[in-house]
Amino acid sequence: MAFGSTAAVAQDKSIVVASTTSTQDSGLFDHILPLFKDKTGIEVKVIAQGTGQALDTARRGDADVVFVHAKAQEEKFIEEGFGVKRYEVMYNDFVLIGPKSDPAGIKGTSDITAAFEAIRAKQALFVSRGDKSGTHSAELKLWKEAGIDIDAAKGEWYRDIGQGMGAALNTAGAMNAYVLSDRGTWLSFKNRGDLEIVVERDKRLFNQYGVMLVNPEKFPTVKAEFGQSFIDWLVSPEGQGAIAEYKIDGQQLFFPNASRDPS
């Protein structure tokens, strides 16, 4: 009986992290999670969803930690009492991907809103994730900053697929369409076809990631000690170093910028 109890405790040294598809699809978790487990013995089980879905998973108490990239949504999550504190972890950036034929004539511009205006004016094919993810939220914000009411403007040219980043890139490749992607997923994406980066390096494409412990006072099943251990490791010099070390073809995908003080 004692042996069974010990085994149960050992098996229980795990946490569930609701995170974005970009941290999973880019391969970052495959790089950092084994390092964390080696140090702490804690296994991290990832539920990879768009940011909105990940936050909803946490709102149901079905995760211990949330690791996402939509600051306004994260701050609302904290204000509603679902999360304890928000820590900034790392950043990368968004890039606008498009066909090499560039039907909207925007390749090389560094003004992302001008690029969106041109896509709308020429009704060039555009794929939207449409899944309430951090990337989808960023896309909607860019349409708004371009002065475009996308709900009123959308037509056959605007394809809302309600799927993750990999699916959106595959769809864009099949259709020769434009699509907004996080740089990490793009760098790890193999099925590029005739797609390439057409717009990048606009400061409005900055993409910050944050991590939060789900509130154990609201959900007693939350493994607060293990979850906080993961957060503390992510923002520690060791965790930040592990994030910085992750590269594809020599290119760093994420840039650590954690503060030990939560926002």
Side-chain angles (χ1 to χ4, degrees), residues 15 65 84 87 213 223-233:
I15 56 171
V65 172
V84 179
Y87 297 78
L213 181 71
K223 297 174 186 173
E225 182 182 347
F226 294 158
Q228 190 62 45
S229 291
F230 180 55
I231 292 170
D232 290 345
W233 183 82

Side-chain angles (χ1 to χ4, degrees), residues 20-28 67-70 89-95 134-135 138 165 181-188 200-210 243 246 248 251-257:
T20 72
T21 57
S22 57
T23 44
Q24 179 84 336
D25 292 350
S26 66
L28 177 69
F67 190 177
V68 289
H69 62 138
V89 179
M90 61 189 189
Y91 69 91
N92 66 359
D93 62 344
F94 295 109
V95 288
T135 305
M165 196 69 253
S181 174
D182 67 282
R183 189 184 294 271
T185 305
W186 170 250
L187 287 174
S188 60
E200 60 183 334
R201 309 297 183 195
D202 186 314
K203 65 184 180 184
R204 289 166 291 192
L205 295 172
F206 179 80
N207 181 28
Q208 178 70 49
Y209 288 77
I243 290 167
Y246 182 57
I248 291 179
Q251 294 194 64
Q252 185 174 334
L253 272 69
F254 298 95
F255 297 83
N257 66 342

Side-chain angles (χ1 to χ4, degrees), residues 32 45 49 60 81 91 118 164 171 189 192 204 217 220 234 242 256:
I32 67 171
K45 300 172 182 175
Q49 302 172 301
R60 296 191 297 270
Y91 69 91
T171 303
F189 184 66
R192 294 184 180 182
R204 289 166 291 192
E217 292 183 6
L234 283 173

Side-chain angles (χ1 to χ4, degrees), residues 19-22 25 48-51 53 69 127-136 159-172 179-182 185 189:
S19 189
T20 72
T21 57
S22 57
D25 292 350
Q49 302 172 301
T51 285
Q53 291 173 302
H69 62 138
V127 173
S128 171
R129 282 179 56 171
D131 61 353
K132 299 183 180 177
S133 61
T135 305
H136 182 217
R159 305 298 174 90
D160 187 335
I161 65 169
Q163 296 184 64
M165 196 69 253
L169 286 167
N170 278 322
T171 303
V179 62
L180 188 71
S181 174
D182 67 282
T185 305
F189 184 66

Side-chain angles (χ1 to χ4, degrees), residues 5-263:
S5 301
T6 304
V9 170
Q11 287 171 349
D12 199 42
K13 198 168 184 183
S14 66
I15 56 171
V16 173
V17 174
S19 189
T20 72
T21 57
S22 57
T23 44
Q24 179 84 336
D25 292 350
S26 66
L28 177 69
F29 279 149
D30 290 336
H31 173 68
I32 67 171
L33 297 186
L35 300 174
F36 174 68
K37 186 176 181 181
D38 285 347
K39 183 176 180 68
T40 64
I42 299 169
E43 181 182 357
V44 177
K45 300 172 182 175
V46 177
I47 301 174
Q49 302 172 301
T51 285
Q53 291 173 302
L55 290 169
D56 285 345
T57 294
R59 284 188 176 95
R60 296 191 297 270
D62 291 336
D64 303 296
V65 172
V66 195
F67 190 177
V68 289
H69 62 138
K71 188 172 182 178
Q73 292 183 48
E74 294 164 46
E75 290 173 338
K76 184 181 179 187
F77 182 82
I78 296 290
E79 288 167 10
E80 292 170 343
F82 289 104
V84 179
K85 297 173 183 176
R86 177 186 176 275
Y87 297 78
E88 298 203 332
V89 179
M90 61 189 189
Y91 69 91
N92 66 359
D93 62 344
F94 295 109
V95 288
L96 185 63
I97 305 300
K100 292 174 183 175
S101 58
D102 192 23
I106 56 177
K107 184 179 178 182
T109 177
S110 57
D111 185 336
I112 189 64
T113 54
F116 271 48
E117 287 171 11
I119 290 169
R120 164 66 184 92
K122 297 188 178 180
Q123 300 202 356
L125 288 174
F126 185 94
V127 173
S128 171
R129 282 179 56 171
D131 61 353
K132 299 183 180 177
S133 61
T135 305
H136 182 217
S137 296
E139 178 222 315
L140 295 178
K141 185 178 179 184
L142 290 170
W143 287 117
K144 189 173 181 180
E145 289 180 2
I148 295 166
D149 179 351
I150 193 59
D151 285 331
K154 66 176 63 170
E156 273 295 303
W157 63 277
Y158 185 88
R159 305 298 174 90
D160 187 335
I161 65 169
Q163 296 184 64
M165 196 69 253
L169 286 167
N170 278 322
T171 303
M175 295 173 56
N176 273 340
Y178 295 95
V179 62
L180 188 71
S181 174
D182 67 282
R183 189 184 294 271
T185 305
W186 170 250
L187 287 174
S188 60
F189 184 66
K190 305 301 182 192
N191 187 30
R192 294 184 180 182
D194 284 331
L195 296 179
E196 63 181 1
I197 295 175
V198 291
V199 181
E200 60 183 334
R201 309 297 183 195
D202 186 314
K203 65 184 180 184
R204 289 166 291 192
L205 295 172
F206 179 80
N207 181 28
Q208 178 70 49
Y209 288 77
V211 67
M212 302 170 286
L213 181 71
V214 179
N215 192 348
E217 292 183 6
K218 191 175 283 284
F219 301 107
T221 55
V222 168
K223 297 174 186 173
E225 182 182 347
F226 294 158
Q228 190 62 45
S229 291
F230 180 55
I231 292 170
D232 290 345
W233 183 82
L234 283 173
V235 302
S236 73
E238 183 179 343
Q240 293 280 281
I243 290 167
E245 286 165 5
Y246 182 57
K247 297 179 181 179
I248 291 179
D249 296 332
Q251 294 194 64
Q252 185 174 334
L253 272 69
F254 298 95
F255 297 83
N257 66 342
S259 165
R260 296 303 297 266
D261 300 319
S263 58

